[in-house]
Amino acid sequence: MPKELLIQVSPETAAHDSLIREHVAKLIRVSPNEIQHAVILKRSIDARQKAIKINLKLEIFFKGEPIAEQKIELPDYPNVSNKQAVIVVGAGPAGLFAALQLIELGLKPIVIERGKDVRGRRRDLKAINRDHTVDEDSNYCFGEGGAGTYSDGKLYTRSKKRGDVDRILRLLVGFGASTEILIEAHPHIGTNKLPKIIEDIREKIIERGGQVLFGTKLTDIVVKNNEVQGIVTQNGDTIEASKMILATGHSARDIFELLDRKNILIEAKPFALGVRAEHPQQLIDQIQYSCDFRGEFLPPAPYSIVKQVEGRGMYSFCMCPGGVIAPCATSPGEVVTNGWSPSKRDQVTANSGIVVELKLEDFKPYAKFGALAGMEFQKAIEQKAWHLAGETQRVPAQRMVDFAQSKVSADIPKTSYVPGTTSVELGQVFPGFLTQIMRQGFSEFGKSMRGYFTNEAILHAPESRTSSPVRIPRDNETLEHLQIKGLYPCGEGAGYAGGIISAAIDGEKCALKIAEALK
């Protein structure tokens, strides 16, 4: 019988199968020749002590035992060409995984996406970086695969439903992701590899009878007697269906405005907002690994930090080791930052959103906008940053210690943010209470991570799209909108997810509920 074992080894040992077998043999007091194979089931880093260790969960196969290869296969998706249609609005992770689940359940998804396919998006991303031109329908947030496709592809989640998480990860492997994502404690695909996987998911949806319509924007929802009848697109076309999954992402402001105009219930939701901080990756490695150089067997170090400052949480968000900062505006006249890493995480810089939790009371100056108050608060900061940085896609930037001391930085070195930066005192970008919390918070961060609080770190403003500023309320059991039958608010844009995995899980949940309702 194979034996499961938990061991802790050096990074070098963890990198070599032969050394792992030698270690296991010594641990269980057998000859190394008796161990045929050691399969790594889970891997994580323990950097709490000076001597860094790798935690491994292994399955040990002894000599003569058959090794059952774990082959991951996709579900046997039926052809749904002639089955009942369900509209899915948005081709991000929530929409795509909802579509796959609908097919598995024998329903036909009609996926509409305002943006372009993954290949078409690349030209528009080049335009925003090189020419400072923002396409409102094709950018880092909008287009096939959603925001995660070109802004990192992290696959870890705080979700407690591990079974659901494992199912999503296995589906991703089935569509071409490395099996490493099943092993790593913090799995990550990388922006260079995720697009091909997204393409393969789309091709499977179409192959099995679903539809995926790019360049197709929702402009109206047809509702009769508080029940969904279909949708209208920007070309005036009507698509009829009695069930609709709304999975438009956290930046689809026009959808929030549409719902508000139609008196379809939405609510203002707290979110978090701040800056994106960039350090040299080598400095983060030194802090986290307590060594001058991490060596060849350790990955670029991430960090996670949380502080309470004046009664509010200030914390790192979407930390990208070996990554870069990207321009993520979705309309002209605003600037927005986010971060991403390639699969190898081999860039010389590390960045992270450093954000402060907001409260509904912070949106009082925008109370006249009702449920859209938080969105208008967010928009005002993005537009002010655009104006202060020179009304291009350059962003306001400041050295970290200078920011804490309210001092304009005399110079800003070149950072990974390609459109460029403008030296600005960031206190001009944010409301006073937010500026005060961040100034104090960065000093507190430096006490926990010695060396973090430094003028080598450059702050880019703003990091404002952490989550949706709006919640679209739904019934906890049926997942239908509280007011409109057949409308299923889903994923990040509706306020029910926070990342690729949780959005995909929510998409599947909505599809399952639709299938139940149609029985």
Side-chain angles (χ1 to χ4, degrees), residues 474-485:
R474 68 187 188 189
D475 182 90
N476 290 335
E477 180 60 32
T478 67
L479 305 188
E480 275 186 307
H481 188 271
L482 294 179
Q483 175 189 1
I484 308 298
K485 295 295 181 184

Side-chain angles (χ1 to χ4, degrees), residues 31-42:
S31 165
N33 294 330
E34 288 296 308
I35 297 175
Q36 180 185 186
H37 193 39
V39 178
I40 299 174
L41 302 177
K42 291 293 177 184

Side-chain angles (χ1 to χ4, degrees), residues 147-279:
T149 303
Y150 289 109
S151 54
D152 206 48
K154 288 185 180 68
L155 299 177
Y156 46 95
T157 175
R158 295 184 180 91
S159 172
K160 302 296 182 185
K161 298 182 180 178
R162 292 301 305 172
D164 289 339
V165 172
D166 290 341
R167 171 180 159 83
I168 300 300
L169 292 176
R170 289 171 72 85
L171 281 172
L172 286 167
V173 171
F175 280 106
S178 166
T179 54
E180 289 290 300
I181 68 173
L182 302 174
I183 295 169
E184 297 295 343
H186 294 104
H188 170 259
I189 292 179
T191 55
N192 53 322
K193 293 189 175 181
L194 192 52
K196 179 63 171 67
I197 295 166
I198 298 298
E199 273 187 336
D200 289 347
I201 291 174
R202 177 234 304 163
E203 288 173 5
K204 178 62 71 174
I205 292 169
I206 295 170
E207 174 198 309
R208 303 319 296 160
Q211 289 180 261
V212 182
L213 309 175
F214 294 110
T216 305
K217 186 192 294 189
L218 170 69
T219 56
D220 198 8
I221 302 171
V222 182
V223 177
K224 186 176 181 180
N225 298 325
N226 284 338
E227 293 184 3
V228 166
Q229 304 289 303
I231 63 167
V232 179
T233 71
Q234 84 275 23
N235 297 323
D237 298 328
T238 298
I239 303 173
E240 295 182 354
S242 63
K243 303 292 181 186
M244 165 185 164
I245 295 175
L246 189 63
T248 52
H250 58 42
S251 293
R253 289 170 173 165
D254 59 323
I255 299 300
F256 301 145
E257 290 166 347
L258 169 65
L259 298 175
D260 195 49
R261 282 198 310 275
K262 293 181 72 71
N263 294 315
I264 295 175
L265 183 63
I266 60 174
E267 304 167 343
K269 182 180 79 62
F271 58 104
L273 189 145
V275 297
R276 189 150 281 266
E278 181 169 277
H279 290 76

Side-chain angles (χ1 to χ4, degrees), residues 90-393:
L96 291 175
F97 278 84
L100 289 173
Q101 183 73 85
L102 288 167
I103 293 173
E104 199 172 344
L105 295 165
L107 296 167
K108 177 182 178 177
I110 301 175
V111 182
I112 72 162
E113 168 56 52
R114 69 194 298 161
K116 300 176 183 176
D117 63 33
V118 285
R119 292 182 185 275
R121 285 179 77 181
R122 288 195 180 105
R123 290 188 292 272
D124 299 313
L125 300 187
K126 284 182 182 177
I128 194 172
N129 276 291
R130 183 189 58 213
D131 305 324
H132 302 245
T133 301
V134 180
D135 184 322
E136 293 186 85
D137 295 320
S138 180
N139 45 62
Y140 276 96
C141 291
F142 298 147
E144 185 179 22
T149 303
Y150 289 109
S151 54
D152 206 48
K154 288 185 180 68
L155 299 177
Y156 46 95
T157 175
R158 295 184 180 91
S159 172
K160 302 296 182 185
K161 298 182 180 178
R162 292 301 305 172
D164 289 339
V165 172
D166 290 341
R167 171 180 159 83
I168 300 300
L169 292 176
R170 289 171 72 85
L171 281 172
L172 286 167
V173 171
F175 280 106
S178 166
T179 54
E180 289 290 300
I181 68 173
L182 302 174
I183 295 169
E184 297 295 343
H186 294 104
H188 170 259
I189 292 179
T191 55
N192 53 322
K193 293 189 175 181
L194 192 52
K196 179 63 171 67
I197 295 166
I198 298 298
E199 273 187 336
D200 289 347
I201 291 174
R202 177 234 304 163
E203 288 173 5
K204 178 62 71 174
I205 292 169
I206 295 170
E207 174 198 309
R208 303 319 296 160
Q211 289 180 261
V212 182
L213 309 175
F214 294 110
T216 305
K217 186 192 294 189
L218 170 69
T219 56
D220 198 8
I221 302 171
V222 182
V223 177
K224 186 176 181 180
N225 298 325
N226 284 338
E227 293 184 3
V228 166
Q229 304 289 303
I231 63 167
V232 179
T233 71
Q234 84 275 23
N235 297 323
D237 298 328
T238 298
I239 303 173
E240 295 182 354
S242 63
K243 303 292 181 186
M244 165 185 164
I245 295 175
L246 189 63
T248 52
H250 58 42
S251 293
R253 289 170 173 165
D254 59 323
I255 299 300
F256 301 145
E257 290 166 347
L258 169 65
L259 298 175
D260 195 49
R261 282 198 310 275
K262 293 181 72 71
N263 294 315
I264 295 175
L265 183 63
I266 60 174
E267 304 167 343
K269 182 180 79 62
F271 58 104
L273 189 145
V275 297
R276 189 150 281 266
E278 181 169 277
H279 290 76
Q281 179 62 54
Q282 185 179 340
L283 175 59
I284 299 301
D285 291 341
Q286 289 170 350
I287 295 169
Q288 295 297 84
Y289 292 147
S290 302
C291 60
D292 290 335
F293 297 98
R294 70 172 187 268
E296 63 178 302
F297 300 114
L298 284 171
Y303 65 85
S304 176
I305 191 163
V306 181
K307 292 289 181 183
Q308 285 292 314
V309 184
E310 297 188 7
R312 296 184 191 241
M314 177 171 164
Y315 57 93
S316 55
F317 168 82
C318 183
M319 194 274 150
C320 301
V324 301
I325 300 177
C328 291
T330 52
S331 294
E334 65 187 26
V335 289
V336 180
T337 65
N338 199 349
W340 62 269
S341 301
S343 57
K344 292 183 179 179
R345 293 180 161 172
D346 54 1
Q347 303 299 300
V348 297
T349 50
N351 69 78
S352 178
I354 305 296
V355 296
V356 176
E357 63 175 345
L358 298 173
K359 303 175 181 179
L360 291 178
E361 64 198 53
D362 300 327
F363 309 147
K364 283 183 180 177
Y366 301 88
K368 69 179 181 180
F369 295 101
L372 302 179
M375 187 184 86
E376 293 297 330
F377 174 95
Q378 180 189 62
K379 190 190 297 185
I381 288 174
E382 294 169 1
Q383 291 173 347
K384 184 183 288 185
W386 174 79
H387 176 72
L388 288 168
E391 301 186 349
T392 66
Q393 281 302 298

